[in-house]
Amino acid sequence: MIRAVLVAVMLWATSLPAHAIYADPPLPDPAQEERAQELMRILRCLVCQNQAIHDSNAPLAKDLRVLVRERIAAGDTDEQAVDYIVERYGDWVLLNPPFKATTLALWFGPVLVFLLGAASIVVYQRRHRAEAVAAAPLTADERKRLDRLMDDGSGA
Amino acid sequence: MAQSDNTADAPAKVNAARRLVLATVPLAVAAVIGLFLYRGLSLDPGQIPSALINKPAPDFSLSAVQGRELGLDTEDLKGEVSLVNVFASWCVACRAEHPLFTELGRQGVVTIHGLNYKDRPKDAAEWLDRYGDPYTRTGADVDGRVGIEFGVYGVPETFVVDKNGVIVEKIIGPVTPHILKEKLLPLIAELKR
């Protein structure tokens, strides 16, 4: 009996942090709440920086969650709600950098470096193979020397 | 990999050129990467560039901190160059930078307004009484909503606002004598011209 109570208490204790994250009151409309939660996952907590406001307990993250819910409840589309926050905090508040002229290098840089590397490997390999094929056949002298060496070796 | 030395003259030249390329390209690549990394050393990830630079200060209207007369709103930021210092009594770094602002206020170099971020009214009033009040106007942003309008994410922050109420610069973290001398004062002097 005591063991059962202990197990129950331990299970309950491990579930506590999960509740703490969702401490703020949800929107009455489950569909809207769902959308708000989705947005909270793509918005960066500016205090903790590599965490979404969805699972950060920084006071500012909480304020921003309240704000996101407010915008959604007020009839904003997802895009409008996100833009509202980006206007104030900049693109950096988005965990995924937006796709635009200033971020082209960010999006394509790694691909470009990969392609350059792949291209140089291909070019190198091809040249190497061409050289191997182009190697001159042995002269008569060389062949004789080789044969002699091979004969010596066979006796060992 | 290297070619034998008994090749004819022309291929030897080609080889020399190739060797030069092989030697310099990796060096150049390493230099570029090195430059980026070196730049990274002096970048502070805590300093997120403000999205509000060169934009008009947001629309807001706040009543004054407890015991003070003049509240703060968007219109108050028009007409003269001003600093908006975001502070709170619970913010230790604010206390560190505060003497700088009281001194600046006494010298009358520039108008300083205080935006009291997420503070209890009584705490804010006591804090200003104790450490000095350099602010011409104060705004009590009790729930932090105006802070969000300003893109505040860590206190203290200090905004430089020009005569037209446009945000020109934002200092994140405590203003040091160095920042004041090298950045703020020259900027204020320029804006006042």
Side-chain angles (χ1 to χ4, degrees), chain A residues 46-47 49 59-60 63-64 67 70 84 86-90 92 124 127 131, chain B residues 1 3 18 45-46 48-49 51-52 117-118 143 145 147-149 151-153:
Chain A
L46 292 115
V47 182
Q49 301 213 342
L60 179 63
D63 292 348
L64 288 176
L67 185 69
E70 256 181 45
Y84 183 89
V86 169
E87 265 169 39
R88 283 151 185 81
Y89 286 98
W92 207 76
Y124 176 77
R127 203 173 285 173
E131 274 166 14
Chain B
M1 205 202 308
Q3 303 273 306
R18 200 160 149 207
I48 306 161
L52 293 175
Y117 181 69
K118 296 192 87 170
D143 60 5
R145 288 308 285 266
I148 290 179
E149 291 296 316
V152 168
Y153 68 90

Side-chain angles (χ1 to χ4, degrees), chain A:
Chain A
M1 179 60 197
I2 286 177
R3 192 179 287 178
V5 171
L6 273 178
V7 167
V9 168
M10 280 156 100
L11 283 175
W12 173 76
T14 55
S15 71
L16 276 183
H19 282 295
I21 290 174
Y22 303 107
D24 15 298
L27 291 171
D29 179 352
Q32 284 191 340
E33 174 65 18
E34 181 76 17
R35 280 174 52 212
Q37 296 251 352
E38 276 309 307
L39 297 188
M40 290 171 200
R41 285 194 180 88
I42 64 165
L43 290 169
R44 185 193 300 272
C45 165
L46 292 115
V47 182
C48 5
Q49 301 213 342
N50 270 341
Q51 218 176 353
I53 60 169
H54 181 265
D55 45 25
S56 164
N57 57 1
L60 179 63
K62 188 176 188 297
D63 292 348
L64 288 176
R65 284 198 297 269
V66 170
L67 185 69
V68 167
R69 286 202 173 90
E70 256 181 45
R71 303 305 307 180
I72 295 292
D76 270 16
T77 63
D78 291 358
E79 209 165 276
Q80 284 168 332
V82 168
D83 283 350
Y84 183 89
I85 292 182
V86 169
E87 265 169 39
R88 283 151 185 81
Y89 286 98
D91 286 337
W92 207 76
V93 79
L94 300 168
L95 279 168
N96 279 326
F99 192 78
K100 57 189 201 184
T102 48
T103 58
L104 281 183
L106 189 65
W107 281 96
F108 289 118
V111 179
L112 202 71
V113 170
F114 173 80
L115 287 180
L116 274 176
S120 57
I121 288 175
V122 168
V123 166
Y124 176 77
Q125 287 283 353
R126 206 171 273 174
R127 203 173 285 173
H128 204 65
R129 203 169 298 154
E131 274 166 14
V133 171
L138 297 178
T139 63
D141 258 7
E142 282 168 340
R143 185 154 294 284
K144 232 178 259 169
R145 236 179 102 206
L146 182 63
D147 286 346
R148 215 168 40 234
L149 285 169
M150 295 298 276
D151 282 347
D152 282 353
S154 68

Side-chain angles (χ1 to χ4, degrees), chain B residues 1-8 11-12 15 19:
Chain B
M1 205 202 308
Q3 303 273 306
S4 54
D5 291 325
N6 54 7
T7 40
N15 278 336
R19 227 170 263 162

